[in-house]
Amino acid sequence: MKVKYSRILLDGLWHNNIVFGQMLALCPLLAVTSTATNGLGMGLASTAVLLASGLSVSLFRGLITAEVRIPVFVLIIATIVTLVDMGMNAWMHELYKVLGLFIPLIVTNCAILGRAESFASRHSPLPSMLDGLMMGLGFTFALVLLGAVREMLGSGTLFANASLLLGDGFSFMEMELLSGYKGFLLVVLPPGGFLVLGFLLAGKRLLEARLKQRKQQVIRKDLLIENPATT
C-alpha cells in the first residue's frame, strides 16, 4: 500500500486531529488542561504511547491473527503506558502527581487503539511511527492550546510552574502576562473547559470554511483566465 507522508503529517496535525477532527480523548483533554503545562505533559506522554504502540503493532502485525487482534493491541498499549507511567513517576514526579490517574487511563484512550487498528496494523513500521508521532503532536497541540487559553483567561499566566513540573530546562516558558490579574474562575473549572473547547472548534470550522471559499475563488479566477469566452 502506497503511503503519502505529507498526508500523514497534515491528517495528524490538522485534518484528522484527534480532538478537533475526530472528537476523541475529550476526558483527559478537559480534565488536565487547567494550565498549558499540564496539557504539554499529558500530550508528550500520549505521543510517546502513540509512537511506541504504532511501531510495536506494525512489527507484530504479521503474527497477530484477526480474531485476537483487539485484546493483543490493548495488551501492547497497556504495557507501553505502564512503562511511561513508571518513567514519569521516576523522572517527572511533580508532573506525575498533578496528572495522577489520567496517565494510566491513557490505556483507555480510544484514539490510540483506533490508530493501531486502522493504520499501524496495515502499514510498515516507518509510516506507522510517523502516524503515531503526528497524531501525538496534533493531540499535544490541542491540549496545549486549550490549556493556554484557559490559563491566560483564568490566571493571567502561561506555562506556570513549568520548571517545577517538567524540569529546570523549561523555566524559560514561564510567563506572567497580566500582573495583578485576579483571574476568571469559571474558565479553569470544568464548564469553562467545555466553553473554550466549543469556541476553538467553532474557530477551526470557520477557518476551514474561509480557506475553502478562497480556494474556490482562485479556481474560478483561473477558469475565467483560461476560458474568457464563458464570461
Side-chain angles (χ1 to χ4, degrees), residues 147-166:
V149 174
R150 294 178 68 186
E151 183 180 355
M152 287 188 291
L153 295 177
S155 58
T157 61
L158 187 61
F159 291 105
N161 300 319
S163 60
L164 176 63
L165 299 180
L166 299 174

Side-chain angles (χ1 to χ4, degrees), residues 210 212-222:
R210 292 286 180 86
K212 184 178 179 180
Q213 184 180 17
R214 183 173 297 180
K215 184 177 179 179
Q216 291 175 343
Q217 291 174 349
V218 171
I219 292 174
R220 291 195 197 100
K221 185 177 180 180
D222 292 339

Side-chain angles (χ1 to χ4, degrees), residues 41-42 44-45 83-96 99 103 106:
M42 187 67 181
L44 293 177
L83 294 175
V84 170
D85 181 75
M86 294 172 65
M88 292 187 68
N89 190 13
W91 295 301
M92 295 182 175
H93 188 65
E94 295 300 325
L95 180 63
Y96 177 84
L99 298 180
I103 301 174
I106 294 176

